[in-house]
Amino acid sequence: MVALEQKVLREGTVLEGHVLKVGSFLNQQLDVDFLVEMGREIDRIYKNDGVTKLLTVESSGIAVAVAAGTVMHLPVVFAKKNKTSNVSGDIYSAMVHSYTHNTDYKIVVSKDYISRDDKIVIIDDFLANGKALEGLIEIVNQAGATLVGATCAIEKGFQGGGDRLRAQGIRVESLAIIDEMSPEGIAFRK
Ligand code: G4P
C-alpha cells in the first residue's frame, strides 16, 4: 500500500534494536481517516472470500481491525492477553513468545465468539517474528474455524515471521513490508 509506505517514511522513526516508531498514527495517536484507508485496502484484499469475522489481539491491533470491520461490516473479536482463568473450559487459548519484550504471555478468546462456521481474517498492527500471529492461528484452529488469511499493517520482513508463515501455506498479505531499516533509511519490499 503505497500511501502507507509514504506515511511510514514521513512520520516513522527507526530506533535502536530494529524498532520502528509510528506513534503518530498507529501505536499511540490514531489517524482515524488513515486507518479507514487501510481498512478499505483490507476489504479489497478479502472482499470475495466470504469472511465472517476479523480476529486480532489487544491492544494496537484493535484499531486496524476495527477500521477494516467498519468498511467490511464485519464483527471484530480481540484476544485478551494474560487472562489466566480457565475454570469452565469455555475459552480458546494459546501461549505467545515475544522476542521484542523477551516474555511469554497467554492469549484467550471466549468460545462464544468464534465457531467452526466462521471464516476468519487475522489482523494486527505489526508482524515481526510472527509469534502473535501463530497464537491467533492456533485459536482459529482450536475453534475449527477456517483461516482465510492474515494481514498486518506493517511487516518487518527482515525478521522473517511473515515468510515463515507463507512457507507453511498461510496467506499473509501485509499492507507494507520493510525489508531493511536503519536510522539512515527504510527499504520496502516491491
Ligand atoms: P511477533 O508477535 O511478530 O513475534 O512480534 P514480537 O512479539 O516481537 O512483538 C512484540 C510487540 O511489539 C507487539 O506488540 C508488536 O506489535 C510490537 N512490535 C514489534 N516490532 C515493532 C516495531 O518495530 N515497532 C512497533 N511500534 N511495535 C513493534 P505488543 O507488545 O503486543 O503491544 P501492543 O499491541 O499492545 O501495542
Side-chain angles (χ1 to χ4, degrees):
M1 183 182 172
V2 175
L4 176 57
E5 295 179 0
Q6 289 171 343
K7 197 157 176 81
V8 168
L9 291 174
R10 263 197 324 273
E11 299 185 26
T13 313
V14 180
L15 305 180
E16 289 302 316
H18 292 300
V19 171
L20 175 68
K21 199 162 176 278
V22 283
S24 67
F25 67 97
L26 194 57
N27 289 136
Q28 175 100 66
Q29 174 171 261
L30 297 173
D31 182 336
V32 289
D33 287 338
F34 193 76
L35 280 161
V36 170
E37 268 189 61
M38 291 200 277
R40 288 201 190 98
E41 186 66 26
I42 295 169
D43 179 40
R44 272 191 284 276
I45 294 170
Y46 297 106
K47 66 173 173 238
N48 298 319
D49 294 314
V51 179
T52 62
K53 251 172 216 186
L54 305 178
L55 174 66
T56 187
V57 56
E58 62 180 359
S59 58
S60 298
I62 295 174
V64 184
V66 166
T70 302
V71 176
M72 298 168 84
H73 304 288
L74 290 175
V76 171
V77 176
F78 63 94
K80 298 193 177 198
K81 287 179 180 167
N82 291 321
K83 294 285 181 295
T84 47
S85 79
N86 186 13
V87 193
S88 51
D90 55 354
I91 55 166
Y92 307 117
S93 70
M95 289 304 297
V96 175
H97 177 71
S98 168
Y99 286 99
T100 305
H101 301 301
N102 194 25
T103 50
D104 294 293
Y105 59 93
K106 188 175 180 182
I107 57 173
V108 308
V109 172
S110 163
K111 287 186 177 173
D112 290 340
Y113 304 120
I114 306 181
S115 77
R116 57 187 311 106
D117 299 328
D118 278 316
K119 295 181 80 175
I120 306 273
V121 169
I122 295 173
I123 308 276
D124 211 349
D125 57 336
F126 269 90
L127 168 51
N129 294 291
K131 296 298 169 192
L133 272 194
E134 283 177 20
L136 291 167
I137 291 167
E138 192 179 325
I139 282 176
V140 171
N141 290 339
Q142 285 173 17
T146 303
L147 178 66
V148 175
T151 288
C152 295
I154 301 171
E155 175 177 338
K156 290 155 79 187
F158 56 88
Q159 289 189 232
D163 289 335
R164 272 190 292 277
L165 290 166
R166 290 181 188 101
Q168 292 168 29
I170 291 161
R171 179 178 173 194
V172 180
E173 299 210 43
S174 303
L175 301 185
I177 304 179
I178 296 174
D179 269 339
E180 283 178 57
M181 74 179 194
S182 72
E184 284 69 51
I186 298 174
F188 293 96
R189 190 175 296 181
K190 290 298 161 208

